[in-house]
Amino acid sequence: MTDDGRIRCGWIDNARLKEADLLLYRDYHDTEWGQPVRGSTALFERISLEAFQSGLSWLVILRKRDNFRRAFDGFDIERIAGYTDRDVERLLADAGIVRNRAKIEATIANARAAVDLDVELSDLLWSFAPADAARRPRPADVSEVAAVSPESTAMAKELKRRGFRFIGPTTAYALMQATGMVDDHTADCWVPRPSPATS
């Protein structure tokens, strides 16, 4: 395996991974995970992929992400909101994605819920980011990283109230971690805190 000498969060360097998968995982960790993501399309993609990941390894989703983008029209909310039963069948036949009817139908329902929002999806999601996130100490190791938080519980509850599916408190917290609403890189991880200018 390639060792570049950098210390990363403990969930990354897994000796059981093939080198190509390890490099894919490292690149995601080093350049995306925990970096602030804004914009409704980008966040809708992340919500959708987090829902598809439920019960699976995130690596499965990373390997298929380009296929998901192709299959779901770049996660264009308006287009997905207009999907019909024919699109569901098309997606169920697409071996490039996770073919789970409940998750596919939830993605379409979530697009329709997003279209009906009276606020931008990005603004709604970021309204649940902890106010002290930039000042909170990083966890010493992965054992200190929470699976849920009061904010993720509140986010999931509000999204459910607004018609979203497949987004419970754990999925909401994973979304918050992945999109920089919280910084759960471990204290010894080489990835620097995001600049306040980017969050």
Side-chain angles (χ1 to χ4, degrees):
M1 291 288 179
T2 302
D3 182 3
D4 61 7
R6 287 176 163 170
I7 297 173
R8 293 177 174 84
C9 301
W11 53 270
I12 287 299
D13 289 329
N14 185 336
R16 293 173 294 174
L17 294 179
K18 295 177 184 176
E19 186 165 0
D21 287 340
L22 176 61
L23 293 175
L24 179 65
Y25 223 21
R26 279 185 177 178
D27 183 61
Y28 172 72
H29 167 271
D30 292 357
T31 64
E32 291 187 61
W33 192 76
Q35 299 303 310
V37 175
R38 301 268 186 179
S40 293
T41 300
L43 284 165
F44 183 74
E45 174 182 333
R46 297 300 186 89
I47 285 177
S48 301
L49 294 180
E50 291 290 351
F52 272 101
Q53 184 270 333
S54 181
L56 302 171
S57 162
W58 181 245
L59 190 55
V60 170
I61 303 303
L62 280 181
R63 288 185 193 128
K64 295 176 178 281
R65 183 160 60 167
D66 287 341
N67 293 329
F68 273 108
R69 288 171 172 164
R70 173 191 48 75
F72 282 95
D73 291 305
F75 289 97
D76 182 291
I77 295 170
E78 295 273 354
R79 290 188 73 171
I80 297 170
Y83 280 8
T84 65
D85 290 345
R86 191 170 179 177
D87 291 291
V88 173
E89 296 308 315
R90 169 182 62 81
L91 292 163
L92 284 170
D94 191 333
I97 66 169
V98 174
R99 294 180 288 181
N100 178 299
R101 181 180 292 274
K103 293 176 181 180
I104 289 168
E105 291 178 346
T107 302
I108 297 168
N110 291 349
R112 292 171 181 162
V115 166
D116 289 341
L117 291 175
D118 55 359
V119 62
E120 283 292 318
L121 178 62
S122 182
D123 293 338
L124 175 64
L125 296 175
W126 274 91
S127 73
F128 293 97
D132 65 345
R135 298 183 305 275
R136 188 178 74 171
R138 283 182 160 182
D141 60 59
V142 292
S143 67
E144 293 184 8
V145 177
V148 297
S149 70
E151 293 86 0
S152 75
T153 301
M155 177 192 284
K157 182 178 180 180
E158 179 62 11
L159 290 173
K160 183 177 181 180
R161 184 185 76 80
R162 290 176 177 263
F164 285 77
R165 301 183 199 168
F166 251 100
I167 305 172
T170 302
T171 299
Y173 193 71
L175 175 73
M176 295 176 84
Q177 291 174 305
T179 60
M181 296 179 199
V182 296
D183 180 4
D184 276 344
H185 283 282
T186 52
D188 61 351
C189 180
W190 80 270
V191 176
R193 280 191 182 273
S195 163
T198 64
S199 61

